[in-house]
Structure formats: C-alpha cells, structure tokens
Amino acid sequence: MSVDRTHQFPGIPLALGSALLFGASPPLSKLLMDSIDPWLLAGILYLGAGVGLVLVHLGRRWIGLEGVEAPLRISDLPWLLAVVVFGGLLGPLLLMFGLSMTTAASGSLLLNLEGLATMAIAWIVFRENVDRRLLLGAIAILAGAALLSWNGQGIALDNGSLLVALACLAWGIDNNLTRKLSSTDPVQIAMIKGLAAGATNLILALGLGTPVPSPAAIGAGAILGFLSVGVSLVLFMLALRHLGTARTGAYFSLAPFIGAMLSIILLREPLTLQIAFASLLMGAGLWLHLTERHEHLHVHEAFEHEHAHVHDVHHQHDHDSPATEPHSHRHRHELLTHKHPHYPDLHHRHTHD
C-alpha cells in the first residue's frame, strides 16, 4: 500500500535546503577568521545577508511579485525586535567566538543543540505536539552531542564549545519567536534582521578598534552571509509554515553534518572515532525525525488570518474577481473536521490529548 507523503512537501525540502546552506557557514567562517576578527565577521555575515535580500526584494517588485506575501504589521514589531536580538545579535556573535576557540568539525556538530533547544522550547513553552519518535530522535542527537564533549572521564565543555552551545540556545529562542512571524513575508523579515543585526555588530566591532580586513575578505564574508544566513533564513521561515517549529528544527539538524564534513574536507581536520560515532548517533536521530508520520481526526476551528496561499483543501473561499495564485489577503477559515497526515503548520496548531 502506498504511503501519502504529500504533507511532507514543500516543508521538508525547504528545511533541508536551509540546513544545507547554514551548515556550510562554520567551516567557511573558520577559513575567513584568518583575516577577519570574529566579532567583525558576525557583522559582515548578517549585513551581507541583509544587503543581498534588499536586492532580492527590489527584484521581486521589478518583476511584479510584490503583494504575494503578507506584509509586516505594527503588532509584529515586538516579535521582530526579539528575533533580531536573539538570532541576529547574540547567536552569530557567540558562534563566531566559539569557533575561534574550537575546531570547526566539533563546533559544527555541536550545532545540533540548536535543533534540540528549538524543539524543547516549542514543546514545553508553546505546547507544540512532540510524539515518541521525535523524542527518541532528540535523545539520539543529544547523546551524540554529549559524546563530542566526552574527555575520557566525563563531559567537559571547553570555552569554545560552551559558547557554541549558548549560540544554539539563542537560536532556539529565535526560532520559536520567528514562528510568530512565519505567516508574513520571509524575505522582508530576514532582510530587516540582517541589516539591523549586521550593522550593530559591525559598528560595535569597529568601535572597539578591530582592524578592517581586505575588500576581498569582506566580499567573501558578505557572499557567505547572503547564502548561509539570508537565503537559509528565508527557507527556514517558509518551512515553519508547513512543519511547525519543533519539526523544522529537527530537520534543520542536518546542518551540523554538512559543516563537519566540509571541515574535514576543506580544513583537513581529522575524522576521529569520537566524531564518527557522534555522527552515527545524530544521523539515527535525524532518520527518526524524517520517518515520523502524524495522522488523526482533528478539528479546524473557525478563524481569520493572512498569509500567502493557494486554493487547496484548507482554502475554499471566493474572490470578487479572478485571482492569480499564490496570493495573500485576509481570509476566513470555516469550521472543518477531517483526517489526513499533517504537521503543526499554520493550520494545524491544535491541542492533543
């Protein structure tokens, strides 16, 4: 009997694409640290993301795609400020200093803690459903992270690893707060976040007397930031719409594997047994997440909201005139009860017994 996988698209590919781009950031940032101070690099990465997305935003307007996504509202501004602080200022700053004190491979694999922090906050604070399979996967990932920190006698986090872990916590908070903005324009959100956070870290670093790197190094950092931060964040926000916070964070756990493999290939860092076994544990956890299936009879209460959509089973409303798809406008959902495979996306944030 065939298994319906339509609920996995486009959410899972978007989350994995985000992970692939972000995963390249630690080893490539480690290379740039030979010529750029960590604090300044954090600013360049996010400012590069912001400037690149400004060009994307202008390009969308030029080809007539403006209005497809829901715009930011005044009520969104407190959430936007919070994600800029946690995700744009604290997270990258802690990661860059952490990477400067530890190997890129270990730092990359420790980034799996971001997925765990994201899922734990979503489960405990926001009451998002997490079933047994997802929990077992999280335990496997945590075991892999613990193995990376094992020194033969116990778990010991050096200063670099501790800073990477704190960066993961900051991003875990950021990811859950970003859920509040996931129905709005992801390019606009990521653009503002990159410009605000990048400019702040850049000004602070230069104000402390950090030497200015060469134009080539600045350009390389800006391009890396646009792809691994800007585009990755846009894909992550789109995935949030379809998967919810906990599952997007779980699939995003592929990022550390990409980073670790690039570290070994590009930086010639050793592939130790510790890293190999940690990778196996984390890979098993990711497999458990990817093979999860959630299906039950559920009720959609009547409510109104605004986001980009097409007229699928959850969007059966009329228009006064013909409309192209996708499009965005405020629309009403009537009471609906049905059963199908789903994730806690924009339309499935119901409670469970």
Side-chain angles (χ1 to χ4, degrees):
M1 183 176 69
S2 63
V3 178
D4 179 17
R5 297 290 185 186
T6 56
H7 65 293
Q8 297 181 332
F9 299 94
I12 290 179
L14 287 169
L16 294 180
S18 175
L20 178 64
L21 290 172
F22 184 74
S25 180
L28 295 180
S29 294
K30 186 80 171 179
L31 285 173
L32 289 172
M33 283 179 191
D34 290 337
S35 53
I36 307 177
D37 175 82
W39 196 332
L40 187 61
L41 181 56
I44 291 173
L45 288 173
Y46 270 72
L47 196 57
V51 172
L53 291 175
V54 167
L55 299 178
V56 172
H57 180 65
L58 294 175
R60 289 190 311 176
R61 295 180 62 181
W62 185 69
I63 63 177
L65 292 180
E66 189 177 16
V68 171
E69 294 285 351
L72 274 170
R73 305 295 182 188
I74 296 296
S75 58
D76 296 324
L77 295 183
W79 299 108
L80 180 59
L81 177 61
V83 302
V84 168
V85 171
F86 282 100
L89 291 173
L90 296 179
L93 192 59
L94 290 166
L95 176 63
M96 291 303 107
F97 277 108
L99 286 176
S100 69
M101 302 177 190
T102 190
T103 65
S106 293
S108 294
L109 285 174
L110 281 170
L111 284 178
N112 265 305
L113 295 174
E114 179 186 346
L116 293 183
T118 299
M119 188 173 67
I121 295 169
W123 185 19
I124 296 170
V125 178
F126 293 98
R127 303 297 182 184
E128 193 169 296
N129 170 254
V130 176
D131 61 20
R132 183 180 301 175
R133 194 176 192 88
L134 204 63
L135 185 59
L136 288 175
I139 292 172
I141 292 173
L142 181 59
L147 180 58
L148 283 177
S149 305
W150 186 263
N151 65 357
Q153 297 178 338
I155 294 175
L157 289 177
D158 57 26
N159 290 336
S161 298
L162 181 59
L163 288 174
V164 173
L166 289 174
C168 291
L169 176 60
W171 275 320
I173 296 171
D174 167 45
N175 292 337
N176 279 275
L177 297 177
T178 300
R179 170 185 172 176
K180 298 289 186 179
L181 303 170
S182 61
S183 62
T184 58
D185 185 352
V187 172
Q188 189 178 22
I189 298 294
M191 177 182 70
I192 294 172
K193 183 177 181 179
L195 291 174
T200 301
N201 273 330
L202 191 72
I203 291 170
L204 289 174
L206 292 175
L208 292 174
T210 302
V212 178
S214 68
I218 293 173
I223 293 172
L224 176 61
F226 170 64
L227 295 173
S228 68
V229 175
V231 177
S232 176
L233 180 56
V234 170
L235 295 179
F236 187 90
M237 286 191 64
L238 291 172
L240 283 175
R241 295 181 182 178
H242 300 279
L243 302 176
T245 312
R247 285 157 182 82
T248 301
Y251 300 135
F252 191 74
S253 296
L254 177 66
F257 294 100
I258 300 297
M261 293 305 102
L262 285 176
S263 300
I264 293 168
I265 295 170
L266 297 178
L267 304 181
R268 307 288 185 178
E269 292 185 356
L271 176 60
T272 64
L273 285 177
Q274 194 171 13
I275 290 177
F277 282 119
S279 297
L280 287 175
L281 282 168
M282 292 174 171
L286 181 61
W287 176 80
L288 286 168
H289 291 161
L290 289 171
T291 53
E292 178 210 10
R293 181 180 174 86
H294 184 75
E295 181 178 5
H296 60 89
L297 188 69
H298 56 275
V299 177
H300 295 266
E301 301 291 345
F303 72 104
E304 292 185 9
H305 64 170
E306 181 179 2
H307 65 95
H309 62 277
V310 297
H311 285 181
D312 55 18
V313 66
H314 295 103
H315 297 90
Q316 296 296 319
H317 49 260
D318 296 325
H319 289 262
D320 295 334
S321 59
T324 57
E325 296 182 357
H327 55 250
S328 176
H329 61 87
R330 192 160 188 84
H331 54 276
R332 178 176 176 79
H333 292 270
E334 301 298 340
L335 182 68
L336 174 66
T337 302
H338 61 174
K339 178 181 179 181
H340 64 96
H342 62 278
Y343 293 123
D345 58 21
L346 287 175
H347 303 98
H348 296 92
R349 290 176 179 170
H350 47 258
T351 58
H352 294 76
D353 295 331

